[in-house]
PDB file of all heavy atoms in Angstrom:
ATOM      1  N   ALA A  99      -4.667  -2.589   4.448  1.00 95.00           N
ATOM      2  CA  ALA A  99      -3.874  -1.822   5.412  1.00 95.00           C
ATOM      3  C   ALA A  99      -2.679  -2.637   5.898  1.00 95.00           C
ATOM      4  O   ALA A  99      -1.552  -2.120   5.981  1.00 95.00           O
ATOM      5  CB  ALA A  99      -4.749  -1.390   6.590  1.00 95.00           C
ATOM      6  N   GLN A 100      -2.890  -3.914   6.203  1.00 96.00           N
ATOM      7  CA  GLN A 100      -1.788  -4.762   6.658  1.00 96.00           C
ATOM      8  C   GLN A 100      -0.754  -4.941   5.555  1.00 96.00           C
ATOM      9  O   GLN A 100       0.453  -4.875   5.801  1.00 96.00           O
ATOM     10  CB  GLN A 100      -2.300  -6.129   7.129  1.00 96.00           C
ATOM     11  CG  GLN A 100      -1.198  -7.024   7.683  1.00 96.00           C
ATOM     12  CD  GLN A 100      -0.492  -6.405   8.871  1.00 96.00           C
ATOM     13  OE1 GLN A 100      -1.132  -6.005   9.837  1.00 96.00           O
ATOM     14  NE2 GLN A 100       0.836  -6.309   8.812  1.00 96.00           N
ATOM     15  N   SER A 101      -1.202  -5.134   4.332  1.00 97.00           N
ATOM     16  CA  SER A 101      -0.279  -5.294   3.206  1.00 97.00           C
ATOM     17  C   SER A 101       0.529  -4.015   2.993  1.00 97.00           C
ATOM     18  O   SER A 101       1.741  -4.067   2.742  1.00 97.00           O
ATOM     19  CB  SER A 101      -1.042  -5.659   1.937  1.00 97.00           C
ATOM     20  OG  SER A 101      -1.676  -6.911   2.090  1.00 97.00           O
ATOM     21  N   PHE A 102      -0.122  -2.877   3.106  1.00 97.00           N
ATOM     22  CA  PHE A 102       0.571  -1.598   2.976  1.00 97.00           C
ATOM     23  C   PHE A 102       1.634  -1.458   4.062  1.00 97.00           C
ATOM     24  O   PHE A 102       2.780  -1.106   3.776  1.00 97.00           O
ATOM     25  CB  PHE A 102      -0.444  -0.453   3.036  1.00 97.00           C
ATOM     26  CG  PHE A 102       0.150   0.892   2.737  1.00 97.00           C
ATOM     27  CD1 PHE A 102       0.384   1.290   1.425  1.00 97.00           C
ATOM     28  CD2 PHE A 102       0.476   1.768   3.757  1.00 97.00           C
ATOM     29  CE1 PHE A 102       0.942   2.527   1.136  1.00 97.00           C
ATOM     30  CE2 PHE A 102       1.032   3.010   3.485  1.00 97.00           C
ATOM     31  CZ  PHE A 102       1.268   3.387   2.173  1.00 97.00           C
ATOM     32  N   ARG A 103       1.271  -1.779   5.314  1.00 95.00           N
ATOM     33  CA  ARG A 103       2.244  -1.709   6.416  1.00 95.00           C
ATOM     34  C   ARG A 103       3.398  -2.677   6.170  1.00 95.00           C
ATOM     35  O   ARG A 103       4.559  -2.343   6.437  1.00 95.00           O
ATOM     36  CB  ARG A 103       1.566  -2.024   7.752  1.00 95.00           C
ATOM     37  CG  ARG A 103       0.747  -0.884   8.307  1.00 95.00           C
ATOM     38  CD  ARG A 103       0.340  -1.140   9.752  1.00 95.00           C
ATOM     39  NE  ARG A 103      -0.372  -2.386   9.927  1.00 95.00           N
ATOM     40  CZ  ARG A 103      -1.696  -2.530   9.841  1.00 95.00           C
ATOM     41  NH1 ARG A 103      -2.457  -1.492   9.586  1.00 95.00           N
ATOM     42  NH2 ARG A 103      -2.261  -3.700  10.022  1.00 95.00           N
ATOM     43  N   ASP A 104       3.096  -3.878   5.677  1.00 96.00           N
ATOM     44  CA  ASP A 104       4.140  -4.868   5.408  1.00 96.00           C
ATOM     45  C   ASP A 104       5.169  -4.334   4.417  1.00 96.00           C
ATOM     46  O   ASP A 104       6.364  -4.609   4.540  1.00 96.00           O
ATOM     47  CB  ASP A 104       3.540  -6.161   4.834  1.00 96.00           C
ATOM     48  CG  ASP A 104       2.715  -6.945   5.845  1.00 96.00           C
ATOM     49  OD1 ASP A 104       2.745  -6.624   7.054  1.00 96.00           O
ATOM     50  OD2 ASP A 104       2.014  -7.884   5.404  1.00 96.00           O
ATOM     51  N   LEU A 105       4.709  -3.576   3.428  1.00 96.00           N
ATOM     52  CA  LEU A 105       5.619  -3.058   2.402  1.00 96.00           C
ATOM     53  C   LEU A 105       6.361  -1.799   2.836  1.00 96.00           C
ATOM     54  O   LEU A 105       7.441  -1.510   2.320  1.00 96.00           O
ATOM     55  CB  LEU A 105       4.855  -2.800   1.105  1.00 96.00           C
ATOM     56  CG  LEU A 105       4.403  -4.081   0.408  1.00 96.00           C
ATOM     57  CD1 LEU A 105       3.494  -3.751  -0.760  1.00 96.00           C
ATOM     58  CD2 LEU A 105       5.586  -4.914  -0.041  1.00 96.00           C
ATOM     59  N   MET A 106       5.820  -1.060   3.790  1.00 95.00           N
ATOM     60  CA  MET A 106       6.486   0.159   4.241  1.00 95.00           C
ATOM     61  C   MET A 106       7.824  -0.137   4.921  1.00 95.00           C
ATOM     62  O   MET A 106       8.696   0.731   4.989  1.00 95.00           O
ATOM     63  CB  MET A 106       5.579   0.963   5.179  1.00 95.00           C
ATOM     64  CG  MET A 106       4.424   1.674   4.467  1.00 95.00           C
ATOM     65  SD  MET A 106       4.953   2.859   3.207  1.00 95.00           S
ATOM     66  CE  MET A 106       4.963   1.869   1.729  1.00 95.00           C
TER      67      MET A 106
END
Side-chain angles (χ1 to χ4, degrees):
Q100 183 60 53
S101 296
F102 187 80
R103 283 192 304 270
D104 291 349
L105 290 172
M106 287 300 92

